[in-house]
Amino acid sequence: QVDHSILACVQILDSHDSAFPTDQYGHMNLKPHPKTPHITIRPATSMDVSHLYSSKMGVCMMFVIKGIVVGISNLYFNVTVSLGRIITSIPQEIQVFSPLSLTPKTTQEHGCLEMRG
């Protein structure tokens, strides 16, 4: 949604689909690449993820994705491995929607009926 953010958990997997520990991600130069200006992406801070269940920590790197304008973007990540080889993820489609609006803007309050037995 425009002007709203989500958290994305990104894992780097080896050839056996096992996740690398996140303390190795810095050596791999994990970088996001949004293909359009519909979204922005940045690494999450401890404030962004303080409410998450702790099992996510250590198995993925968290990013904050924010919707900027309505539309569709593709997002992929690159890592650099031994001898400078670059590996690119499969692109993920990100859709940004208009802010939710409810109509009518005013509502009428209805009374409640209380029943006792």
Side-chain angles (χ1 to χ4, degrees), residues 28 79-87:
M28 297 180 191
V79 293
T80 305
V81 293
S82 59
L83 303 173
R85 194 175 100 195
I86 296 174
I87 298 175

Side-chain angles (χ1 to χ4, degrees), residues 12 28-33 76-80 86-89:
I12 300 174
M28 297 180 191
N29 198 24
L30 176 64
K31 288 189 175 178
H33 296 278
Y76 67 93
F77 287 82
N78 283 345
V79 293
T80 305
I86 296 174
I87 298 175
T88 302
S89 71

Side-chain angles (χ1 to χ4, degrees), residues 3-115:
D3 292 329
H4 284 76
S5 299
I6 61 166
L7 286 172
C9 176
V10 177
Q11 291 183 310
I12 300 174
L13 305 177
D14 64 16
S15 58
H16 303 288
D17 289 335
S18 296
F20 283 95
T22 56
D23 61 357
Q24 295 181 18
Y25 286 23
H27 305 292
M28 297 180 191
N29 198 24
L30 176 64
K31 288 189 175 178
H33 296 278
K35 296 298 286 177
T36 68
H38 294 95
I39 59 172
T40 60
I41 184 166
R42 65 172 173 79
T45 65
S46 58
M47 293 296 291
D48 295 319
V49 297
S50 62
H51 66 284
L52 287 181
Y53 184 62
S54 62
S55 70
K56 289 284 186 197
M57 303 305 125
V59 297
C60 67
M61 184 167 178
M62 302 300 290
F63 286 87
V64 176
I65 302 172
K66 182 176 182 179
I68 303 299
V69 295
V70 174
I72 297 173
S73 183
N74 283 311
L75 172 64
Y76 67 93
F77 287 82
N78 283 345
V79 293
T80 305
V81 293
S82 59
L83 303 173
R85 194 175 100 195
I86 296 174
I87 298 175
T88 302
S89 71
I90 297 171
Q92 297 296 310
E93 187 177 89
I94 308 288
Q95 294 183 351
V96 180
F97 298 96
S98 301
L100 178 66
S101 65
L102 299 175
T103 52
K105 294 197 183 285
T106 59
T107 60
Q108 183 177 4
E109 187 175 320
H110 295 282
C112 293
L113 181 63
E114 185 176 304
M115 296 181 71

